[in-house]
Amino acid sequence: MTGKITRRTVTLGIGAAVAAPWIARSAFAASQPILLGVPATSTAAVGAADHGDHINGTAVAVDEINEAGGILGRPLKQVVIDFDPLSPESSKQAIAACIDAKVDAISNPYMLPPLPAMDVSSQYKCPYIHGSANRVSSEAVKADPAKYGHVFLATSAEVNYGWTFPQWLAHAEAKGGWVPKNRKIHIVQEQIAYTQTISKCAQEAIKKDGKFEIARITDIQYPVQDWATVIRELKEVDAGMIIIDHWVAAELAGFAKQFVQDPVPNSLVYLQYGPSQPEFLSLTGPAGNGFCWSTVTGVYADEKGKAFREKYKKRFPGVMGLVYTGFGYDVPYMLKAAWEAVGDPRKFEDVNAWIKANPFRGVCGHYDMNNPYQETLHYPSNGFDDLQVSALDKGQAQYYCQIQDQEHKIIFPDELVETKITPAPWWS
């Protein structure tokens, strides 16, 4: 034997061909794969963009792990289960399919609502790591750890979208780039529990902060096909700050295109989360410039985050989503660390205990779920609960972006900023 390492192509994951070192590694190639169940949709009317990002980010991690020799001498395989994330019954069926496949762990971007699927998973109790930024899921873990101790919310909860809002406003005003024309805030809120919780927490934080006032709250109902009535009301109130508390990218793109044709002059417009999904920029083009959004989990623009962004874009050209691409990438590496520490992926109880006890640093920041909620700690702290931290390296940052020149640029918090807020096209 000369010592030369040749390479051989094997097919793993979701059909992607990957190269693996071949040094008499027939045992690796023939060994039973470790199975990562990924309930994620590519067909549902809502959620396919985020879920597709999650599948792609997972694929990048799976291929890297296998190229490096796998986990405990075994290849890792992604098992994708298509389902409707807005349907409780479909969500339950997706988890049941993972159990039938005897997966070693589950990685899910989100389900709305999350509890029905969690109930099904409790019959199996493999690690269930999800990104449903929904406090009701982590409250269930705290209330019944015997039933849900295998469930981890690897983001902070949606309550932080509301609680952090006044901090961002203060930062935008103090750092320059935005001078509020008045101190009024107009909230446009959708009716699902997720957006209602965000609105409630925003109102709570705004009242506590005392620097702005809620001028009006306008209700909308999914699906929103025409924003003309809402825009007329926005112009009537003429608030300096507008919150569109909705999360569906295609509908927010429709809002953005209608708004720029007849805007509320000099108002700062925040579109909650939806613009993070790649279809928003694809649908809006230049009309998306100037709008702001935030996420409680997303790929940082630091050295680690930029390296991931570069390789992801090389693998998947086009507009890159900044949220579930990184989330999907981080989860397999988190599990890899746990599986290797425990020595056997089938020791579910030990693996779950290791995940809880050991923080993990990924491309989306610092994951620390060692608390009764098993929810990732949130940065920055604003004093609303014990799951917030005052140091970036102790929690996962919620960051705010503004779309500038058809690109997402981080404008808050200071530790992650790429640039400051700039005038929107409808500002004089």
Side-chain angles (χ1 to χ4, degrees), residues 50 53-54 57 109-110 131 155 161 273-278 293-300 308-309 320-330 363-364 367 396 399 408:
D50 279 334
D53 283 350
H54 187 82
Y110 56 76
T155 77
Y161 283 110
Y273 162 84
S276 68
Q277 301 168 43
W293 60 273
S294 75
T295 180
V296 292
T297 184
V299 181
Y300 288 4
F308 170 69
R309 293 185 189 201
M320 175 185 173
L322 293 181
V323 177
Y324 287 100
T325 53
F327 184 90
Y329 180 81
D330 282 344
V363 299
C364 293
Y367 299 83
Q396 193 174 105
Y399 64 68
H408 302 298

Side-chain angles (χ1 to χ4, degrees), residues 113-131:
L115 291 182
M118 288 170 55
D119 284 343
V120 176
S121 75
S122 68
Q123 303 168 19
Y124 189 61
K125 288 189 168 57
C126 75
Y128 180 0
I129 303 174
H130 70 102

Side-chain angles (χ1 to χ4, degrees), residues 2 17 40 50 58 63 69 90 118 147 160 212 220 253 260 272 278 285 333 349 355-356 367 384 397:
T2 63
D50 279 334
T58 304
D63 288 356
S90 182
M118 288 170 55
K147 182 177 182 180
N160 292 291
F212 290 83
I220 57 173
V260 297
Q272 204 260 318
Y333 278 104
E349 185 175 353
I355 293 170
K356 179 173 182 176
Y367 299 83
F384 277 94

Side-chain angles (χ1 to χ4, degrees), residues 183-203:
R183 314 303 290 189
K184 297 190 296 183
I185 296 177
H186 190 163
I187 300 176
V188 178
Q189 60 181 16
E190 214 269 320
Q191 300 304 297
I192 65 171
Y194 170 79
T195 49
Q196 288 291 299
T197 298
I198 292 170
S199 178
K200 178 181 177 181
C201 291
Q203 293 171 54

Side-chain angles (χ1 to χ4, degrees), residues 209-350:
D209 181 67
K211 296 176 183 175
F212 290 83
E213 62 173 341
I214 305 295
R216 187 173 299 180
I217 297 174
T218 299
D219 291 329
I220 57 173
Q221 184 70 54
Y222 167 82
V224 184
Q225 298 177 340
D226 185 0
W227 292 89
T229 301
V230 172
I231 291 172
R232 282 197 297 271
E233 192 169 340
L234 293 175
K235 291 173 70 69
E236 175 187 316
V237 176
D238 193 33
M241 176 68 234
I242 294 169
I243 301 174
I244 308 298
D245 182 16
H246 192 32
W247 64 283
V248 180
E251 295 189 1
L252 288 173
F255 169 82
K257 289 192 287 187
Q258 284 189 251
F259 181 87
V260 297
Q261 295 300 315
D262 188 21
V264 182
N266 301 315
S267 292
L268 180 61
V269 184
Y270 168 74
L271 302 183
Q272 204 260 318
Y273 162 84
S276 68
Q277 301 168 43
E279 62 185 310
F280 181 86
L281 286 182
S282 299
L283 291 170
T284 58
N289 289 332
F291 291 99
C292 298
W293 60 273
S294 75
T295 180
V296 292
T297 184
V299 181
Y300 288 4
D302 59 4
E303 183 178 351
K304 191 178 185 75
K306 286 179 179 177
F308 170 69
R309 293 185 189 201
E310 182 177 343
K311 60 189 172 187
Y312 182 92
K313 290 178 180 179
K314 185 177 180 179
R315 172 83 178 269
F316 300 102
V319 178
M320 175 185 173
L322 293 181
V323 177
Y324 287 100
T325 53
F327 184 90
Y329 180 81
D330 282 344
V331 171
Y333 278 104
M334 188 187 306
L335 288 164
K336 178 178 183 290
W339 286 329
E340 291 178 340
V342 172
D344 183 354
R346 302 305 293 182
K347 292 183 177 179
F348 294 162
E349 185 175 353
D350 293 342

Side-chain angles (χ1 to χ4, degrees), residues 118-163:
M118 288 170 55
D119 284 343
V120 176
S121 75
S122 68
Q123 303 168 19
Y124 189 61
K125 288 189 168 57
C126 75
Y128 180 0
I129 303 174
H130 70 102
S132 302
N134 195 311
R135 178 56 60 80
V136 70
S137 65
S138 52
E139 286 178 337
V141 174
K142 181 184 179 184
D144 194 348
K147 182 177 182 180
Y148 297 122
H150 63 292
V151 179
F152 298 90
L153 176 55
T155 77
S156 60
E158 86 282 42
V159 291
N160 292 291
Y161 283 110
W163 289 340

